[in-house]
């Protein structure tokens, strides 16, 4: 009988995580010939009872502030070919890869193995960093743990296997970074400082102390120990993983203090040292690119984008070197995750430097085929394109030279073909994008279609009503009102097969016109009638007649109820029954305050008719005016200055002697108008 794997678990009284830890080990115990050894440092009987459900090997240990001694107790009892160790606040996400490593016999080809420890920095699990940890090795008589804190297995021989399996670890997570009580840092720091006092020239202890200070945001102390650790590490013949960590983190920690010039200087000095290997160089380039961006040193930043690219290419061609050059949270995989963001910064740098040749080159470096890496950067790429309109043709031409199936690039090629007058080519590319539209770019595809009268069917047929409503609302809000009606006239024929979508766009456009424009006296009634007809047509298609007959009873959406009331008001208005019209308009404003400007414009038409016929303005007219004034107050409270301006303009004509209205109008103008800066 042969035990493949001994699993040693160090257990205190952390019941909140122990259950998850043990449950994650169950597949290993079930699928492999393995044993679980629990070294128990706690006092809680409940913890013991839970452990005994999983193993009979529970070894009591009195805690003595020495992790190696505690680990060696479990190691002494191990009988497996291989040994694995972990803590009770860690649990595996999935152990399938580890099980296959042993079941397949692959483990016989290696001396040790790494898996990933995912260290969370907050209790919500949103911020974390991954670190490769060597927690598995072949068990030999010489195997032992060293160091009382941040203990290591020794000896740790090659060849080693890197596994993608990972454990969740919340040991460093907390809500209040200033409160160190009951945290690992409060436990670790005194032990580490004591170790350094015994061995004052230990670069590894300096690194571990710097890590603890970094985790609690004490960057000045972390920087101090980084410098001290590097001083000692440089005197050693070999380059160890702690020196790699210190090189990478020193300029990064300096940048956290806000001293970007010093961070840049420090990173540049480290970069030229012969002891700085390729993974560290790539990390330093990432820090240098960020510093150059913030310091607006674009040409220098472009230099380090290129150097980063060079180092990443070297590491990909030399995977053995990449595998050897790693430390806690410092790996080839981690620094390669910065590839796309670094190259996008390079696009900004090269554009600022006027180096269009580099623009095309860097575009070709981006990982276009890896959607998970490139898609988060689409907004940044759009920002780059829009920031430099003077060279937009050159930017689009750069995209046009790329050989990739990426849909975002396809969209840029479509725009380039349109600008070059190659309409058929633009249509072909547009159709490809429309059939599998990149998220967030449906709107631009619609604009292209409207400009060139392309059929919208391939795109709109795949759009949900929610996405279409979002588009129509944004279109009505952001387009200039002078071009909005022209745009609607162009897009409406393209929506022939989608009447609901066409009416939704029509309603949004009419709302914009009615709530933001000082229209000619005849237009408010005409546009309101068109608006109500469109809204009520939708209502008739969606609701039963008995529902529409009593809208208040069935609590229809406010837009529909508003349209029903205004339709009745317009009938009276067209008959010349102004007195009967006003109470209905009063009720309509209460139902749908958003359209108060439209009602105000209709009131202005009523006022003109009353003055022309020398009739007395009824009291209801003034009541409605005051009600619209309250709507204006609400808009100002919400800082909706553009919409508030439209309401105030109507109220000035409606209540010309109301000083409160005049005062509000001035306040709206003050807040809604950007300051004019003059060069004296």
């Amino acid at each position: 009988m042969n035990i493949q794997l001994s699993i040693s678990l160090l257990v205190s009284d952390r019941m909140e995580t122990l259950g998850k830890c043990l449950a994650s080990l169950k597949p290993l115990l079930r699928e492999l010939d393995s044993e679980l050894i629990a070294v128990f440092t706690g006092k809680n009987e409940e913890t013991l009872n839970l452990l005994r459900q999983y193993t009979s090997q529970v070894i009591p240990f009195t805690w003595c502030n020495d992790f190696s001694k505690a680990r060696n107790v479990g190691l002494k009892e191990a009988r497996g070919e291989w040994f694995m160790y972990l803590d009770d606040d860690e649990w595996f996400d999935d152990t399938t890869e580890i099980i296959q490593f042993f079941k397949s016999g692959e483990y016989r080809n290696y001396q040790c193995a790494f898996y990933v420890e995912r260290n969370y920095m907050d209790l919500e699990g949103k911020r974390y960093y991954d670190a490769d940890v060597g927690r598995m090795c072949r068990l030999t008589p010489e195997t032992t743990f060293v160091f009382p804190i941040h203990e290591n297995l020794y000896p740790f021989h090659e060849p080693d296997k890197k596994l993608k399996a990972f454990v969740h670890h919340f040991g460093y997570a907390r809500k209040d970074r200033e409160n160190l009580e009951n945290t690992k840092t409060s436990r670790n720091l005194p032990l580490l400082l004591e170790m350094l006092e015994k061995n004052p020239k230990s670069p590894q202890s300096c690194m571990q102390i710097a890590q603890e200070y970094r985790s609690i945001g004490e960057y000045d102390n972390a920087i101090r120990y980084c410098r001290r650790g590097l001083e000692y590490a440089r005197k050693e013949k070999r380059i160890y993983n702690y020196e790699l960590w210190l090189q990478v983190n020193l300029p990064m920690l300096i940048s956290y203090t806000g001293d970007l010039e010093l961070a840049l200087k420090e990173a540049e000095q480290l970069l030229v040292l012969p002891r700085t290997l390729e993974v560290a160089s790539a990390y330093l380039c990432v820090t240098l690119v960020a510093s150059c961006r913030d310091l607006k040193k674009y040409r220098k930043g472009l230099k380090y984008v290129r150097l980063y690219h060079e180092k990443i290419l070297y590491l990909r061609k030399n995977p053995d070197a990449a595998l050897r050059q790693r430390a806690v949270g410092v790996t080839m995989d981690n620094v390669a995750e910065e590839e796309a963001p670094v190259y996008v910064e390079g696009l900004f740098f090269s554009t600022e430097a006027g180096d269009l040749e580099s623009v095309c080159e860097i575009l070709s470096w981006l990982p276009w085929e890896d959607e998970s890496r490139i898609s988060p950067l689409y907004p940044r790429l759009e920002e780059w394109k829009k920031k430099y309109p003077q060279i937009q043709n050159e930017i689009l031409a750069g995209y046009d030279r790329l050989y990739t199936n990426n849909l975002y690039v396809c969209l840029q090629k479509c725009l380039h073909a349109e600008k070059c007058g190659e309409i058929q080519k633009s249509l072909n590319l547009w159709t490809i994008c429309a059939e599998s539209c990149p998220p967030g770019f449906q709107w631009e595809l619609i604009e292209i279609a409207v400009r060139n009268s392309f059929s919208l069917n391939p795109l709109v047929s795949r759009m949900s009503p929610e996405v279409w409503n979002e588009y129509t609302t944004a279109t009505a809000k952001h387009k200039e009102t002078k071009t909005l009606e022209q745009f609607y006239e162009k897009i409406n024929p393209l929506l022939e097969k989608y009447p609901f979508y066409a009416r939704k766009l029509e309603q949004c456009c009419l709302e914009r016109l009615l709530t933001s424009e000082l229209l000619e006296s005849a237009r408010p009634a005409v546009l309101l009638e068109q608006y109500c007809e469109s809204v009520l047509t939708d209502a008739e298609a969606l609701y039963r007649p008995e529902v529409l007959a009593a809208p208040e009873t069935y609590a229809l959406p406010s837009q529909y109820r508003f349209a029903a009331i205004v339709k009745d008001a317009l009938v009276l208005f067209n008959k010349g029954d102004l007195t009967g019209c006003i109470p209905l308009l009063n009720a309509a404003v209460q139902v749908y305050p958003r359209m108060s400007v439209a009602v105000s414009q209709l009131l202005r038409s009523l006022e003109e008719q009353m003055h022309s016929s020398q009739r007395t303005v009824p009291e209801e007219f003034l009541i409605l005016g005051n009600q619209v004034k309250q709507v204006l107050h609400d808009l100002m409270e919400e800082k909706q200055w553009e919409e508030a301006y439209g309401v105030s303009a109507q109220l000035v004509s409606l209540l010309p002697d109301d000083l409160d209205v005049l005062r509000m109008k001035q306040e709206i103008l003050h807040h809604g108008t950007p300051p004019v800066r003059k060069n004296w």
Side-chain angles (χ1 to χ4, degrees):
M1 188 177 297
N2 183 46
I3 298 175
Q4 288 178 303
L5 178 65
S6 294
I7 306 169
S8 181
L9 179 64
L10 190 58
V11 182
S12 58
D13 283 322
R14 288 181 284 217
M15 286 294 292
E16 67 276 7
T17 57
L18 178 60
K20 294 179 181 179
C21 175
L22 292 169
S24 76
L25 296 176
K26 190 186 296 184
L28 293 172
L29 299 172
R30 181 178 61 243
E31 300 291 332
L32 302 177
D33 291 333
S34 57
E35 64 175 348
L36 175 61
I37 304 164
V39 179
F40 180 53
T41 67
K43 300 177 181 179
N44 194 326
E45 193 67 27
E46 186 182 0
T47 308
L48 274 173
N49 291 337
L50 180 57
L51 284 173
R52 286 169 181 154
Q53 293 178 33
Y54 284 82
T55 181
S56 59
Q57 296 190 77
V58 179
I59 307 171
F61 181 82
T62 302
W63 183 246
C64 60
N65 287 335
D66 191 319
F67 280 89
S68 285
K69 287 183 179 179
R71 297 284 190 197
N72 282 325
V73 168
L75 181 65
K76 184 179 178 181
E77 298 298 319
R79 297 292 180 268
E81 291 182 68
W82 274 57
F83 181 80
M84 172 198 285
Y85 70 97
L86 68 162
D87 291 336
D88 61 351
D89 64 347
E90 301 170 330
W91 61 92
F92 280 99
D93 189 68
D94 183 359
T95 56
T96 303
E97 187 183 16
I98 298 175
I99 291 169
Q100 285 301 113
F101 179 64
F102 284 97
K103 272 194 168 184
S104 66
E106 185 184 6
Y107 73 100
R108 296 190 181 95
N109 301 324
Y110 295 92
Q111 295 295 321
C112 60
F114 289 78
Y115 59 78
V116 177
E117 183 181 61
R118 179 157 291 178
N119 294 288
Y120 294 94
M121 307 307 292
D122 57 61
L123 295 175
E124 293 75 27
K126 295 179 180 178
R127 295 187 302 113
Y128 62 83
Y129 67 90
D130 288 344
D132 291 331
V133 289
R135 300 284 186 85
M136 299 168 60
C137 73
R138 187 179 296 278
L139 192 55
T140 69
E142 294 78 26
T143 305
T144 188
F145 283 94
V146 295
F147 303 128
I149 183 75
H150 295 305
E151 68 282 10
N152 288 334
L153 270 173
Y154 178 85
F156 211 67
H157 296 295
E158 294 182 348
D160 53 50
K161 172 71 174 179
K162 185 177 179 183
L163 301 168
K164 294 180 180 178
F166 68 90
V167 290
H168 300 281
H169 181 227
F170 281 82
Y172 292 100
R174 52 185 163 272
K175 291 182 179 179
D176 184 358
R177 296 183 66 85
E178 301 300 323
N179 182 9
L180 300 186
E181 293 183 8
N182 300 318
T183 67
K184 286 195 171 184
T185 299
S186 64
R187 179 199 66 192
N188 292 350
L189 262 177
L191 295 175
L192 289 167
L193 291 169
E194 183 180 339
M195 283 175 57
L196 188 61
E197 189 174 344
K198 292 178 182 177
N199 185 7
K201 294 186 178 181
S202 166
Q204 184 170 10
S205 294
C206 289
M207 176 202 73
Q208 292 168 344
I209 292 169
Q211 286 176 338
E212 298 296 339
Y213 278 122
R214 184 189 69 169
S215 72
I216 58 175
E218 292 191 18
Y219 300 127
D220 288 337
N221 281 329
I223 291 166
R224 181 159 57 91
Y225 282 98
C226 269
R227 292 191 188 282
R228 183 172 168 180
L230 279 172
E231 179 186 348
Y232 300 144
R234 288 167 187 159
K235 296 176 182 178
E236 298 178 334
K237 290 183 179 180
R238 284 189 59 188
I239 301 172
Y240 292 95
N241 59 357
Y242 44 77
E243 185 174 1
L244 174 64
W245 189 94
L246 292 165
Q247 290 170 339
V248 167
N249 279 273
L250 176 57
M252 194 183 303
L253 288 164
I254 294 171
S255 72
Y256 292 164
T257 68
D259 194 341
L260 298 181
E261 288 284 2
L262 181 58
L264 188 146
K265 178 181 177 182
E266 197 78 45
E268 288 183 321
Q269 290 175 348
L270 286 165
L271 203 55
V272 298
L273 293 178
R275 296 179 67 89
T276 303
L277 303 179
E278 288 80 14
V279 167
S281 295
Y283 269 101
L284 291 170
C285 286
V286 173
T287 299
L288 285 162
V289 165
S291 298
C292 289
R293 176 197 62 213
D294 295 338
L295 293 169
K296 296 181 170 52
K297 297 186 177 184
Y298 303 120
R299 289 193 177 277
K300 179 173 282 193
L302 184 57
K303 168 187 171 183
Y304 292 119
V305 170
R306 290 187 170 281
L307 184 59
Y308 171 87
H309 180 62
E310 176 187 318
K311 298 300 180 184
I312 290 294
L313 289 181
Y314 171 85
L315 290 165
R316 288 201 173 117
K317 291 177 182 177
N318 297 272
D320 291 340
L323 195 60
R324 287 193 301 270
Q325 297 175 29
R326 61 188 178 196
V328 177
V330 178
T331 67
M332 161 61 181
D333 287 345
N334 286 352
V335 75
E337 289 179 3
E338 302 297 325
E339 187 176 19
V342 164
Y343 295 158
V344 171
E345 292 303 329
L347 294 174
F348 281 88
F349 293 162
S350 53
T351 309
E352 288 286 349
D355 187 348
L356 297 182
E357 185 176 338
S358 290
V359 166
C360 296
E361 187 178 15
I362 294 171
L363 276 174
S364 70
W365 296 348
L366 281 159
W368 295 111
E369 304 304 327
D370 191 340
E371 189 67 21
S372 64
R373 294 170 63 197
I374 195 68
S375 60
L377 292 167
Y378 289 155
R380 187 78 170 134
L381 288 167
E382 283 295 288
E383 179 187 344
W384 169 60
K385 187 173 67 174
K386 291 174 182 176
K387 186 176 180 179
Y388 306 102
Q390 69 278 12
I391 61 163
Q392 194 169 107
N393 289 341
E394 289 81 357
I395 290 174
L396 293 177
Y399 280 114
D400 197 54
R401 296 189 186 102
L402 298 177
Y403 295 96
T404 173
N405 293 321
N406 179 275
L407 288 171
Y408 177 80
V409 175
C410 183
L411 177 57
Q412 309 314 308
K413 291 182 176 183
C414 172
L415 289 167
H416 182 256
E418 181 190 19
K419 280 187 174 292
C420 294
E422 300 173 358
I423 302 305
Q424 185 58 49
K425 179 181 178 181
S426 180
L427 174 59
N428 295 339
L429 293 165
W430 184 94
T431 303
I432 294 171
C433 292
E435 290 175 350
S436 301
C437 183
F441 291 97
Q442 296 99 327
W443 300 2
E444 186 159 20
L445 287 170
I446 291 173
E447 295 291 325
I448 296 171
V450 172
R451 287 198 298 267
N452 298 283
S453 299
F454 296 163
S455 170
L456 282 171
N457 293 348
L459 182 63
V460 177
S461 62
R462 290 172 170 80
M463 290 179 70
S464 68
E466 291 78 13
V467 172
W468 179 257
N469 290 347
E470 184 182 350
Y471 165 72
T472 56
T473 302
T475 298
K477 180 178 180 181
H478 296 296
K479 279 191 178 296
E480 294 288 336
T481 53
K482 292 180 180 179
T483 62
L484 188 58
E485 289 182 281
Q486 295 175 348
F487 173 80
Y488 177 72
E489 288 176 4
K490 287 183 178 181
I491 194 174
N492 192 43
L494 305 179
L495 294 169
E496 185 178 355
K497 293 185 178 181
Y498 303 93
F500 274 104
Y501 283 25
R503 284 196 294 272
K504 179 61 182 176
L505 179 60
E506 177 187 37
Q507 291 157 26
C508 286
C509 292
L510 288 171
E511 281 196 15
R512 171 68 187 277
L513 291 170
L514 286 163
T515 57
S516 61
E517 287 291 301
L518 291 173
L519 301 170
E520 300 86 354
S521 58
R523 288 205 75 193
V526 173
L527 294 179
L528 267 173
E529 188 170 359
Q530 183 182 347
Y531 174 81
C532 292
E533 182 181 351
S534 179
V535 170
L536 293 174
T537 299
D538 279 352
E540 288 169 2
L542 294 171
Y543 298 100
R544 296 194 304 271
E546 58 267 30
V547 174
L548 298 177
E552 290 295 335
T553 304
Y554 290 93
L556 289 175
S558 55
Q559 188 183 24
Y560 295 147
R561 288 187 282 134
F562 171 85
I565 297 169
V566 171
K567 181 181 178 183
D568 292 339
L570 289 172
V571 171
L572 297 176
F573 174 78
N574 292 329
K575 289 180 179 179
D577 185 356
L578 305 184
T579 303
C581 175
I582 291 174
L584 289 176
L585 294 176
N586 190 0
V589 170
Q590 294 181 28
V591 168
Y592 198 36
R594 174 177 171 76
M595 291 292 280
S596 59
V597 173
V599 173
S600 296
Q601 294 189 89
L602 188 60
L603 285 172
R604 187 180 64 176
S605 298
L606 290 172
E607 182 188 28
E608 290 175 357
Q609 289 189 34
M610 289 178 177
H611 284 309
S612 64
S613 59
Q614 296 184 346
R615 296 168 61 178
T616 304
V617 178
E619 183 180 353
E620 291 89 344
F621 195 90
L622 297 175
I623 293 173
L624 183 55
N626 287 323
Q627 186 174 351
V628 174
K629 189 165 76 171
Q630 182 57 49
V631 171
L632 180 59
H633 275 291
D634 295 340
L635 290 172
M636 292 173 66
E637 285 288 326
E638 296 170 5
K639 303 188 186 311
Q640 297 183 25
W641 304 115
E642 184 179 350
E643 197 166 334
Y645 175 74
V647 177
S648 69
Q650 302 304 325
L651 275 178
V652 167
S653 63
L654 186 62
L655 304 172
D657 298 323
D658 192 316
L659 295 177
D660 192 30
V661 172
L662 296 176
R663 180 188 54 77
M664 286 193 292
K665 180 183 176 184
Q666 295 174 66
E667 185 176 347
I668 292 165
L669 287 169
H670 174 75
H671 287 285
T673 305
V676 177
R677 301 188 184 277
K678 296 182 179 180
N679 295 320
W680 298 98

